[in-house]
Amino acid sequence: MTRLHPVVVVHYHEISLKRGNRPLFLRQLARNLARAVADVGPVNVRQRPGRIVLDLEGHAQPEVVLERARRVCGVASVLLGYRTAATLEAMRAVIGGLIEGRRFASFRITARRAFKTYPMTSVELNRALGAFVLERVATRVDLEHPEVEIVVEVLPDEAFIALDRRPGPGGLPVGGSGTVAALLSGGIDSPVAAWRMMKRGCRVVFVHFHSVPYLPATSQAKARALVERLTEWQYASRLHLVPFGEIQREVVLSVPGPARVVIYRRLMIRIAEAIARREGALALATGESLGQVASQTLENIAAIDAVAAGPVLRPLIGTDKLEITDEARRLGTFEISIEPDADCCTLFVPKHPLTRMSVAEAEAAESRLDVGRLVRDGVEGAVLELFRFPAGEPPRAVLGTASGAPSI
Ligand code: ATP
Ligand code: MG
């Protein structure tokens, strides 16, 4: 028998392709797939009708390529299979090799033709290849719950045969939907919110507020670890670390305790928007979920958003804590988020913050602050760090984000 030529076949959601920008979407997806596997040996990425094919001839780690590919945003599912000629004879030979010596109580063939001029229909292919399997293995056909599913995809000049289909995250390829700046705390919610934006095709720039030297640097370490993790979905990340402790100290001097949380958030939004503008980000994203804590009431959100010039996206707004936690576990951010840490918002914050602060009350509370200077201090004091995946270069610190921020 000829040597098997392994491939990973990537499927995407047709739904996202009905938007007139299909070629762009596909190019971005192919580029991201290539980046995701860049460090695991030579992989040839090919766009074919209805799917993207990763050729792995002579590749030492097809399983690693499969696992990397199935995490790329925009991927509906991946198959690890083999490439062969599009003839019944060649397909039988590959299937024969795959089932040789295997036992399985039931199976099905799932054949699909990417072009309709093939001499056999999918049903005829299913029958012919199914009969071939039944001649060799003592098993039966079960279309509903087969122990083994043999996927057969026929293109004009090649065919793919696979025994293993795994789901991907779905969504859209990162880089196709523009850039957002995500406010990233060390908590459970904001990393999930950032990931949701990636899944809808956004490149995410991260902004973290810390209170060094008033609090230890653990929140920055957590932010770095979270960004490192999330970079696995967008391959290059930029994290802005904003000094917020001094700003909070000034707020404490003139703003009464219960009003502080909303005032801190309004300052964060202004600083993050200034950074977002420089990054070419059109919107902010936060991890708020309605009613989860005192600061996340509709009234307070309205008071916070009153200072925003652009949209503040809240992808978790209608999500329960339990759902968010499950997603954080799946992403591998949960373990990082639950590390003990003194978040900047625990500093100088009273036990009972206002749950319904009007815009007028927020403005009155800010009247004795030099808001413009505080925002400038935050923006100019920010430090930018860069992250890459794969082959993670150590983050390089670049002082100041005000100008000349290097692009990656
Ligand atoms: P999280 O789990 O994301 O920390 P939370 O439920 O603790 O969220 P809050 O503390 O009210 O909620 O924060 C609301 C949102 O404000 C966060 O999801 C995040 O987007 C942003 N935020 C809060 N603290 C910081 C910070 N130190 N740096 C950057 N963003 C922050
Ligand atoms: Mg928090």
Side-chain angles (χ1 to χ4, degrees):
M1 207 176 97
T2 49
R3 216 157 52 90
L4 286 176
H5 173 146
V7 288
V8 168
V9 182
V10 174
H11 289 265
Y12 35 83
H13 283 297
E14 283 300 317
I15 233 166
S16 32
L17 304 179
K18 298 196 178 15
R19 303 188 308 166
N21 53 2
R22 182 187 170 111
L24 264 180
F25 167 92
L26 290 178
R27 255 203 309 283
Q28 188 69 48
L29 182 57
R31 202 179 302 138
N32 291 353
L33 283 162
R35 289 181 88 171
V37 302
D39 64 329
V40 280
V43 177
N44 182 34
V45 179
R46 289 189 287 140
Q47 280 187 41
R48 304 268 24 224
R51 68 259 300 138
I52 292 174
V53 179
L54 279 55
D55 284 302
L56 302 176
E57 198 167 10
H59 199 284
Q61 297 168 286
E63 269 290 331
V64 178
V65 172
L66 181 76
E67 279 307 307
R68 289 278 181 86
R70 71 176 288 207
R71 298 178 56 180
V72 173
C73 293
V75 171
S77 65
V78 290
L79 299 170
L80 178 56
Y82 298 95
R83 176 176 187 266
T84 181
T87 64
L88 202 52
E89 194 189 1
M91 290 188 256
R92 281 187 178 131
V94 171
I95 292 175
L98 291 180
I99 61 176
E100 200 176 287
R102 284 188 61 153
R103 287 158 176 272
F104 42 91
S106 62
F107 79 106
R108 68 166 287 165
I109 308 276
T110 308
R112 246 182 299 180
R113 301 170 307 160
F115 70 120
K116 302 302 172 198
T117 52
Y118 192 72
M120 296 174 81
T121 65
S122 303
V123 175
E124 287 166 346
L125 275 169
N126 286 340
R127 287 219 186 97
L129 296 171
F132 174 80
V133 172
L134 289 168
E135 283 165 18
R136 276 158 186 75
V137 182
T139 182
R140 66 188 166 81
V141 174
D142 182 345
L143 297 181
E144 295 292 314
H145 304 287
E147 190 180 322
V148 167
E149 183 188 19
I150 304 176
V151 179
V152 176
E153 305 202 335
V154 185
L155 276 63
D157 50 348
E158 59 185 339
F160 307 111
I161 315 275
L163 290 185
D164 196 7
R165 186 208 304 270
R166 295 183 207 172
L172 300 170
V174 171
S177 307
T179 304
V180 302
L183 280 75
L184 184 78
S185 69
I188 294 168
D189 305 332
S190 44
V192 175
W195 185 80
R196 293 255 184 117
M197 296 314 301
M198 290 179 189
K199 191 182 155 185
R200 294 313 301 164
C202 289
R203 223 170 55 74
V204 173
V205 172
F206 298 94
V207 183
H208 173 70
F209 297 86
H210 66 82
S211 304
V212 173
Y214 297 97
L215 288 174
T218 40
S219 83
Q220 293 184 61
K222 283 175 76 174
R224 282 191 192 102
L226 288 167
V227 171
E228 201 174 304
R229 187 87 193 135
L230 291 168
T231 302
E232 292 178 23
W233 284 274
Q234 66 171 5
Y235 320 112
S237 296
R238 298 160 68 82
L239 166 64
H240 297 263
L241 296 162
V242 180
F244 203 62
E246 194 53 43
I247 295 172
Q248 285 180 291
R249 211 183 53 82
E250 288 201 31
V251 170
V252 167
L253 294 177
S254 67
V255 176
R260 283 176 205 156
V261 175
V262 169
I263 303 305
Y264 292 154
R265 288 279 180 277
R266 282 164 60 102
L267 287 164
M268 284 184 182
I269 292 284
R270 291 175 174 114
I271 294 167
E273 275 202 329
I275 292 172
R277 263 196 300 280
R278 286 172 184 171
E279 289 280 1
L282 292 183
L284 301 183
T286 77
E288 285 153 310
S289 151
L290 192 62
Q292 197 190 84
V293 294
S295 60
Q296 299 174 14
T297 60
L298 265 189
E299 288 83 354
N300 285 355
I301 288 173
I304 292 166
D305 281 10
V307 299
V312 180
L313 306 177
R314 294 181 168 86
L316 305 182
I317 197 71
T319 318
D320 292 349
K321 190 75 187 183
L322 220 56
E323 299 170 75
I324 299 171
T325 304
D326 282 349
E327 199 161 316
R329 279 186 212 277
R330 280 199 300 278
L331 296 175
T333 54
F334 182 79
E335 294 304 316
I336 303 166
S337 296
I338 58 170
E339 286 282 309
D341 160 38
D343 184 65
C344 76
C345 295
T346 59
L347 186 65
F348 314 128
V349 166
K351 276 210 173 58
H352 301 290
L354 284 181
T355 53
R356 283 154 193 250
M357 193 169 184
S358 67
V359 174
E361 285 168 323
E363 283 168 358
E366 279 174 358
S367 61
R368 285 193 290 142
L369 288 174
D370 184 350
V371 170
R373 182 179 54 75
L374 294 180
V375 171
R376 231 174 8 256
D377 285 353
V379 174
E380 282 165 13
V383 172
L384 172 65
E385 294 187 0
L386 309 180
F387 295 77
R388 271 185 192 281
F389 177 87
E393 293 169 14
R396 280 184 290 145
V398 182
L399 276 177
T401 53
S403 63
S407 62
I408 50 174

